[in-house]
Amino acid sequence: MQVAQDKLKILAIHGYHQSDVIFKSKLGSLRKGFKKQLDFTFVRAPHKIPTENELVKDAEESDYGWWFNTEDRVFKATVPSDHCIGFEDSLDLILKTCQEQGPFDGILGFSQGAAFTAILCVMQQRKMFPFKFNFAIIISGFKSLCMPHAEYYTEIIDIPSLHIYGQSDKVIPTDMTEKVCDLFKDCNKVIHEGGHYVPSQKNIYKTFIMDMMERKLH
């Protein structure tokens, strides 16, 4: 029992067109590599992404999103918008998850989930919600271009963070990722040569995770 208590408990937030099941699989190498240090809780976004393919539509393992930036329920990270449809539902889900399964030591997000993670860090700093994360891991992150989210990018976030992104990312341009890095006072960057994915190499995460473990135990 004591081993479990010594682990870092992390809330994992998947990307757009993913789910908790898919993200758990994509983090398989990370979970295996740090099974003595990390305990993940995966949460599924509340919004099913519309699709014309009925086979995909009925699949419960894929195609979920945290919010949409068009009225016909589509999300494109690189397109500015006045909309963030469904965002409040996602906030409610995170709050419920934190209340029922927390507290969490840290939060990890990928792509749209990483953009959400950055916003949650701001909300925590402003004491807008009663959850407490001690660190954030942001993979292929970006600042949301939805106008209602602009208010969250007006201050520096004082929480230890690890930012991971690929030089060859064709989904989220590196300049968008670097802008979200600039929001964090304690920003640790790891830039890999690949694209839009969660890298599996243990050494990418090791220094940061061990530092967070040390802080928790002392």
Side-chain angles (χ1 to χ4, degrees):
M1 281 296 202
Q2 186 174 356
V3 175
Q5 291 176 354
D6 289 344
K7 288 184 179 183
L8 293 172
K9 193 169 181 180
I10 297 179
L11 179 64
I13 302 182
H14 64 77
Y16 190 68
H17 267 304
Q18 291 188 343
S19 70
D20 52 335
V21 175
I22 289 176
F23 200 38
K24 184 174 183 179
S25 175
K26 290 185 178 297
L27 288 185
S29 295
L30 184 62
R31 292 187 294 112
K32 183 178 179 180
F34 293 97
K35 60 184 178 181
K36 294 182 179 180
Q37 293 86 18
L38 305 181
D39 179 22
F40 287 96
T41 295
F42 293 86
V43 58
R44 177 178 296 181
H47 306 296
K48 189 79 169 126
I49 298 171
T51 174
E52 295 178 1
N53 187 331
E54 290 300 320
L55 292 177
V56 175
K57 185 176 180 180
D58 293 337
E60 288 300 315
E61 285 75 27
S62 64
D63 285 338
Y64 290 85
W66 297 101
W67 67 87
F68 306 102
N69 59 6
T70 70
E71 292 182 348
D72 54 351
R73 297 172 69 86
V74 173
F75 176 76
K76 293 183 179 179
T78 57
V79 177
S81 172
D82 293 331
H83 304 288
C84 56
I85 297 167
F87 182 71
E88 293 297 329
D89 294 328
S90 293
L91 279 179
D92 290 343
L93 176 60
I94 294 299
L95 178 59
K96 181 180 178 182
T97 302
C98 289
Q99 291 172 334
E100 294 180 352
Q101 301 184 55
F104 296 100
D105 297 293
I107 182 169
L108 179 153
F110 170 70
S111 197
Q112 190 189 44
F116 195 13
T117 294
I119 291 173
L120 291 169
C121 288
V122 175
M123 289 185 160
Q124 168 184 301
Q125 184 161 291
R126 295 181 182 176
K127 297 180 170 57
M128 296 173 66
F129 277 89
F131 44 64
K132 179 73 168 74
F133 304 113
N134 297 320
F135 64 87
I137 299 176
I138 293 177
I139 306 172
S140 299
F142 57 91
K143 289 168 64 173
S144 169
L145 298 182
C146 298
M147 186 60 66
H149 291 159
E151 64 172 304
Y152 300 116
Y153 304 125
T154 59
E155 63 194 81
I156 297 300
I157 303 168
D158 190 13
I159 181 175
S161 59
L162 174 62
H163 299 256
I164 303 165
Y165 58 99
Q167 291 178 332
S168 305
D169 195 326
K170 304 299 183 185
V171 179
I172 305 298
T174 54
D175 64 321
M176 288 184 67
T177 303
E178 288 162 358
K179 286 178 181 177
V180 81
C181 293
D182 293 340
L183 291 173
F184 287 81
K185 181 179 179 180
D186 185 355
C187 171
N188 300 271
K189 287 186 190 179
V190 176
I191 306 171
H192 58 86
E193 296 180 351
H196 194 71
Y197 60 81
V198 179
S200 60
Q201 298 93 326
K202 186 175 180 178
N203 65 296
I204 287 178
Y205 309 88
K206 186 175 181 180
T207 299
F208 184 80
I209 288 174
M210 292 308 173
D211 185 23
M212 295 304 105
M213 283 288 297
E214 188 73 16
R215 296 189 191 195
K216 175 174 180 172
L217 296 176
H218 297 90

